[in-house]
Every structure is written in structure tokens, then in C-alpha cells.
Amino acid sequence: MGTVKRVRRRGVSALTLLCAMAVLASAPALGLTGTAYAAPGAPTSPAAPGAPTAPEPGTKSLEQVRKEIDELYRQAGTATDAYNQAESETKAQSERVVELAKQVAAGRERITSLKERAGAAARAQYRSSGLPPGARLALSGSPSQYLDGADRLRQGEKATADLLAELNRTQNDLQRYSKDASALWRQLEANRVKKETAKKEIEEKIKAAQELESKLEAEEKARLLQLEQDAQRQAQAAWLSSGVLKEINGAASEAGKAAIRFATAQVGKPYEWGAVGPRSYDCSGLTSQAWLAAGRGIPRTSQEQLRLLPKVAIKDMRPGDLIIYFDDASHVALYVGDGAIIHAPRPGRNITLAGAGSMPIKAVVRPDA
């Protein structure tokens, strides 16, 4: 009998919990921030009828989970920028090392050739200058013949001196090339370490975010996406309410139009850190390739785009400009006009159209200023 009562009590508790979930599921999207997500291993208990829905100790609201996931992905974006910068520098340094290696090889061949020529010139000079000048004059057929010979001798001596000077310059160049190559090798090694460190951080942050999201039920994941979209809409609405669009009326340049056409064609493709297409992109991979398609090569990373491209005021922004986001310049998007951007948001999301004010704007830069 006691067993039956316990079963009935559990049944009533389960029914109460299902009813509570049904009420929460029917609530408006913006009212979901009070729902609780149980942290792994945290004690949970069914809510009593009429009890408040405040999270118990050890639980997180779905909004807190969303913010934590967003922050993890933002940190992954920062690390991605560091990885991309190290990758770009490594590529340039590798090309320079190859160039220096060719110069070293050519320098060594040149030194060998110069030494052979200098040796031959020295032997010829020795044979012709073995006698003192008076003896050579006495033995010559005529004074003019002697003078011609002496002139040729001076020319030979000058040629030998020039050879030795060139040999010395080539040896100095070779030493400089070798020194530069050694320095570049050290930089390459430092960048390799930087890349590996950034890669490890990226993978750790993405894994942590994915693990957080994987613990959610399908319904919670859908609500999480809704919360994410709601937060973006609220930020965009606040940005638009400032009247900023009334001042933004610049027309796109021809290159800007080409960059927009390229970016538009990529909508729907997945985000992938470190990718520059054609199947997937990260945020700066998309913007750099869009402008490359428009005939303008720009820096690979959002931080370098901010540092090296001309800045413009938001009120002077025009379609085709790049908007840099967050204090650490870890995200970038292509402005397409009417308060909208095209960007590659983060892992697990596809390239999409979004509001230009949906994230904190740091600066606007213009690739074709």
C-alpha cells in the first residue's frame, strides 16, 4: 500500500512538473529568462504547485546559459583572430625565407665564380709583372708597345681590384642573408607556437560552448536561439531608435557593390574558424575575400583591418564599408545598407543578414577610401 502511495505521489509531482513546463512553453519569448537550466550534477527537485519559478541553487537561467555560450564564442573569435594573424605572418615569413635561401645559394655560386676569376687574374698578373719595369722596357720591341702593355696591365690590375671588391660585397651580402634567414626562422618558430596556442584556445572555447548547448533539450535549444535573436533585435532597435539611419545616406562605390555581391552569394554557407572559402568562412575571411573579389586586397584579420584601413564616422558609412565589433575588434561584418550587415557569426551558425547595431560597434573602416 505504501508503495502505491509513493507511486501516486511521484505521478502527481510529474504531472505538476509537466504542467509547469507547458505554461513556460506557452510564455512569450522575451519572458523565458526566468527558466532554469540545471548545471551538471546540481540537485534538482520538482516544483510544488504554485511555487515561484526562480532558479534553485546550482542552476542557471537559460538567459545566463545564452550569455555564457556567447562569451565563449566571442573568446574563440578573439583567439581566431590571433591564429589568423599568426598564419598570415607565417606565410609571409616563409616566402621571405625561401627568397633568402635562393639569394644565399646564388651568393655562394657568385663567390665561387669570383674567386676563380680573381685567381686567374692574379696568375696572369704575376706572369706579366715578374720583371721590373726597366727590364720590360728594354726587352720590348718599342716604347709604344711597352706603354700599351703597361696600360693593359693597369687595366688588368683594376679589373682584379674590382673583382676583389665585388667578392667582398658578395660575401657581406651572404652574411646578411644568412643572418636575416636565421632571424626569420626564429620568428617562424614563435609564430608556430602562437598558432598552436591560439588553436588550442579556440578548440577549448568551442568545445565548452558546444558542451553547454548539448546539455539542453531540443525545446530549450529552440528557446535559446529565440533568446539570441531577441537580444540582437533589441540591440538593433536601440541602435535605430537613436536616429542613426537618418544621417547614413552614402552610396556604395563600384568596388563596394562588387564586395556586396560576393558576400551576398555566400549567405547560407557555414562559419568555420580560419576559413577563407569557398565552402566556409570565418568573419574576417568573408570580408577579406569579398574585397579581394572586388579587386582590393585588405588585411586578413579584423584587428588588422581596424589598424590599417582608413576609419570613417558611422554617419558617413556607406554600403561596402566594414564594421568592426567589440572592444577587442574580434568580429567584423560587411555593411550592405539600410542598417543591415552580412557576416559570418560564429561556429554553429551560417553566414547571414543581420542588423548593423545588433552588436557593440567599435569602428567603421573603408577598404577603398
Side-chain angles (χ1 to χ4, degrees):
M1 187 67 176
T3 302
V4 172
K5 288 181 179 179
R6 283 195 296 274
V7 170
R8 285 177 178 171
R9 281 198 297 270
R10 283 199 293 268
V12 171
S13 297
L15 181 59
T16 302
L17 183 59
L18 287 173
C19 290
M21 289 177 65
V23 171
L24 289 173
S26 64
L30 292 179
L32 294 174
T33 57
T35 59
Y37 160 70
T44 59
S45 60
T53 58
E56 296 181 7
T59 65
K60 299 175 183 177
S61 72
L62 201 57
E63 175 64 9
Q64 288 173 321
V65 174
R66 180 193 71 79
K67 289 180 178 179
E68 189 171 344
I69 289 174
D70 282 353
E71 178 60 20
L72 285 167
Y73 278 127
R74 197 190 66 76
Q75 291 173 6
T78 302
T80 297
D81 225 36
Y83 178 92
N84 289 338
Q85 182 62 25
E87 174 74 13
S88 179
E89 290 175 357
T90 297
K91 181 180 178 182
Q93 289 163 355
S94 297
E95 292 172 352
R96 179 60 179 154
V97 165
V98 171
E99 180 185 339
L100 285 171
K102 291 178 180 178
Q103 290 176 326
V104 166
R108 286 173 177 166
E109 291 179 3
R110 182 65 175 160
I111 285 174
T112 299
S113 173
L114 288 171
K115 284 182 176 179
E116 290 174 353
R117 288 170 57 191
R123 288 191 294 273
Q125 185 177 355
Y126 177 79
R127 287 193 298 269
S128 63
S129 60
L131 294 174
R136 292 203 305 275
L137 177 59
L139 294 173
S140 63
S142 67
S144 61
Q145 184 181 359
Y146 167 75
L147 292 175
D148 288 342
D151 185 57
R152 285 195 298 272
L153 181 61
R154 283 193 296 271
Q155 291 176 358
E157 289 173 343
K158 183 178 183 305
T160 301
D162 290 344
L163 275 174
L164 292 174
E166 185 176 355
L167 176 61
N168 186 54
R169 285 195 302 272
T170 304
Q171 288 175 327
N172 289 337
D173 288 344
L174 189 58
Q175 289 176 351
R176 188 176 70 254
Y177 296 154
S178 299
K179 183 178 179 181
D180 290 348
S182 297
L184 275 175
W185 276 117
R186 289 192 294 271
Q187 291 176 17
L188 277 172
E189 178 60 19
N191 272 331
R192 185 192 67 78
V193 173
K194 188 189 299 182
K195 279 176 56 180
E196 288 302 315
T197 301
K199 180 181 178 182
K200 183 179 179 182
E201 183 177 356
I202 294 164
E203 291 172 344
E204 286 176 351
K205 298 298 183 184
I206 292 176
K207 182 180 178 182
Q210 290 173 339
E211 285 179 351
L212 267 179
E213 200 162 357
S214 70
K215 294 181 176 71
L216 301 175
E217 299 296 333
E219 182 185 353
E220 290 175 313
K221 289 180 181 178
R223 297 209 307 272
L224 187 71
L225 178 59
Q226 184 66 51
L227 286 174
E228 180 182 314
Q229 293 171 344
D230 288 341
Q232 292 172 357
R233 279 195 292 268
Q234 288 177 14
Q236 174 73 354
W239 185 67
L240 293 176
S241 67
S242 68
V244 65
L245 278 189
K246 296 177 182 178
E247 297 181 333
I248 301 174
N249 55 13
S253 64
E254 289 304 313
K257 292 176 183 177
I260 292 171
R261 284 195 297 270
F262 178 92
T264 302
Q266 314 313 311
V267 170
K269 293 183 179 180
Y271 176 104
E272 181 183 357
W273 70 266
V276 290
R279 292 184 294 274
S280 57
Y281 298 83
D282 63 20
C283 65
S284 58
L286 175 65
T287 55
S288 60
Q289 290 302 303
W291 271 98
L292 185 61
R296 300 293 180 98
I298 65 173
R300 166 67 177 89
T301 70
S302 56
Q303 292 177 349
E304 288 297 283
Q305 289 169 5
L306 171 65
R307 187 173 73 87
L308 297 175
L309 297 179
K311 297 177 181 62
V312 296
I314 291 179
K315 66 181 180 63
D316 297 324
M317 185 165 60
R318 71 188 187 194
D321 288 344
L322 305 183
I323 304 181
I324 310 294
Y325 292 97
F326 303 109
D327 287 340
D328 59 359
S330 57
H331 193 67
V332 61
L334 184 75
Y335 182 63
V336 295
D338 294 327
I341 56 171
I342 290 176
H343 71 142
R346 64 165 176 81
R349 298 286 185 262
N350 295 332
I351 294 171
T352 188
L353 194 71
S358 59
M359 296 168 285
I361 296 176
K362 181 176 180 65
V364 179
V365 296
R366 180 164 295 164
D368 61 339

